Amino acid sequence: MRHCVLMAGIGLLFLLSGCQTAERPTTSGTSQPGTAQSTATPTGEEVAVLTTAPNVPPPITRKAPTTVVVDLEVVELEGQLANGVTYTFWTFGSQVPGPFIRIRLNDTVEFHLKNHPSSKMPHNIDLHAVTGPGGGAEASFTAPGHETEFSFKAINPGLYIYHCATAPVGMHIANGMYGLILVEPEEGLPKVDREFYILQSEFYTEGNYGDPGLQPFSMEKALDERPPYVVFNGSVGALIEENALEAKVGETIRLYVGNAGPNLISSFHVIGEIFDKVYVEGGDLINNNVQSTVIPVGGAAIVEFKVEVPGSLVLVDHSIFRAFNKGAIGMINVQGEENHEVYTGQQSTKVYLPEGSAIQTMPKSQAPKVPGAQNKEERIKRGETVYKRNCAACHQINGQGLATAFPPLAKSDYITSPEIVTNAVVNGLSGEITVNGQTFNSVMPQLQLTDEEIANVATYVLNSWDNIGGEVTPADVQKLKK
Ligand SMILES: [Cu+2]
């Protein structure tokens, strides 16, 4: 969940980007030992530093266990799930995922759970780091406008999921109630340059991916395990573009990766890197030189790698439709000197024409023998089907495009006439273009569609997503081809 908006009638204002509550101490994306340590209370306890994803609290420098106070507030609020799509999230700490909690082996955690009076539901918390019934769930069952307290001793090191476990459990998890708690071993973890918090989860909306507006939870899709959204850190886009992670060549990176599900196992992978080290399932077992690591639902993994060359590393669930079509994608932009010994980049490009054609084409679609669209409305409706089959893979189902690769068709200021769209589909498009202030320099292949299909899809694009409107007929397509 990226941007939170005011939920009607609650009167709490959540600011952009992670919606941190003002009193909560947080750290920056880079953990620096010795900074922003937990603060001691008058009774000698410590108040835990809690951070908003992708930030991780600083390593613990204490050499002995202590009592750590964790104070967490449950708030139900409306926030952004994707561009133009909102959802009523149930949250720990007004953020999805909930804050990262970092403690040390044998610490005693004094856990306070508050449920905001505006909540409609009771909630609780099951921390997988707890040894005890329900992981704390029964002890922390909290009605709206109440606060509960329980304590536990962290007797096993590792990286653990926490989640709400109030019935219906699946629904509480599906609505955003989860996070990570790290129990550091006594000696701590080896020093790295940067640490980040990443949590994968699904959202089950009534509408399809990208359908705009406030989307209700779909119990049917949740039961069928058919999520329209699979995301990192609570929303589509939480880790790309202006939210991409940053690193420098030569640095070591540690990712704390959790999978809250509620249904799908993650095949976590970073395109362009190899994990030097994986703490398998977040435990003590270390595997080296791993391409993709399986993260079970209700599980986690710690992965580490050194970045050797500049460029963009892409975090994905390698069940790849989830990444490119449902939101499970993130980026680490690495700055620094090229190292051609490790990676040259492209050294040459030549035309390769085994079949003698100079035009890049896609296979011809079978033209069904049906009468053409009779009016504009019908053309738009049929065009939508053509769009979903032929264009959505690149321009995305709701026309928003894909950062740096495929320009948006939604509200495109490049589309100044119907011919622009028709021409792109008839002839393909290449060379530098600017769409809504962003430049693209790529190739759109020529698509082998019938004149009728081209007319329909062009008319659909023109009349969707706040574009200029208008109609393209098969006769117009013929004219343009001549
Ligand atoms: Cu709950």
Side-chain angles (χ1 to χ4, degrees), residues 21 23-27 35-41 44-52 56-58 60 62 66-72 99-104 107-112 127 152 162 180-182:
T21 47
E23 78 277 12
R24 205 174 294 292
T26 58
T27 61
T35 59
Q37 279 299 305
S38 320
T39 48
T41 66
E45 298 166 335
E46 268 187 24
V47 177
V49 172
L50 302 177
T51 59
T52 302
V56 177
I60 289 167
R62 252 188 298 117
T66 189
T67 296
V68 180
V69 179
V70 175
D71 217 329
L72 212 46
F100 195 104
I101 306 170
R102 187 168 195 157
I103 57 172
R104 180 183 182 276
D107 278 351
T108 296
V109 175
E110 185 188 304
F111 207 101
H112 298 256
L127 299 113
F152 69 94
Y162 65 79
L180 284 177
I181 175 167
L182 173 68

Side-chain angles (χ1 to χ4, degrees), residues 208-390:
N208 291 327
Y209 181 86
D211 281 359
L214 178 62
Q215 288 290 330
F217 168 72
S218 165
M219 191 61 163
E220 193 189 338
K221 285 184 188 168
L223 288 169
D224 289 351
E225 308 191 2
R226 262 190 311 119
Y229 294 90
V230 183
V231 300
F232 293 137
N233 290 355
S235 69
V236 176
L239 287 173
I240 58 171
E241 294 168 8
E242 71 274 18
N243 302 313
L245 306 177
E246 312 232 314
K248 295 200 181 70
V249 166
E251 288 181 330
T252 46
I253 314 279
R254 177 180 291 138
L255 305 180
Y256 297 99
V257 192
N259 182 10
N263 288 315
L264 304 181
I265 291 168
S266 172
S267 302
F268 186 72
H269 176 74
V270 176
I271 301 174
E273 261 302 338
I274 295 149
F275 303 142
D276 299 324
K277 210 165 154 184
V278 176
Y279 294 74
V280 178
E281 293 166 7
D284 291 348
L285 178 66
I286 291 177
N287 198 358
N288 297 108
N289 306 317
V290 175
Q291 59 195 306
S292 301
T293 193
V294 170
I295 310 182
V297 178
I302 304 172
V303 307
E304 293 176 9
F305 49 90
K306 183 174 175 199
V307 285
E308 268 92 3
V309 295
S312 286
L313 302 175
V314 186
L315 318 181
V316 295
D317 178 340
H318 215 297
S319 289
I320 210 73
F321 281 99
R322 297 179 192 165
F324 290 107
N325 305 81
K326 295 188 166 189
I329 193 159
M331 286 209 183
I332 306 178
N333 292 327
V334 182
Q335 312 267 349
E337 291 288 307
E338 294 284 353
N339 180 346
H340 290 293
E341 205 184 324
V342 175
Y343 185 70
T344 64
Q346 187 174 69
Q347 292 178 296
S348 76
T349 168
K350 302 188 191 83
V351 176
Y352 171 64
L353 296 173
E355 284 155 24
S357 165
I359 306 161
Q360 190 190 359
T361 57
M362 304 267 272
K364 214 176 184 77
S365 73
Q366 296 299 318
K369 278 278 157 251
V370 287
Q374 296 305 303
N375 55 46
K376 187 172 158 190
E377 290 321 306
E378 201 179 331
R379 206 174 282 300
I380 293 172
K381 204 155 179 298
R382 291 192 188 182
E384 182 175 1
T385 310
V386 180
Y387 183 84
K388 282 182 177 158
R389 285 208 195 118
N390 299 281

Side-chain angles (χ1 to χ4, degrees), residues 74 76 90 92 121-124 163-166 171-173 177:
V74 174
E76 300 169 3
W90 297 351
F92 287 113
M121 302 281 162
H123 299 284
N124 64 11
H163 62 87
C164 182
T166 303
M171 187 175 174
H172 283 251
I173 295 176
M177 302 195 74

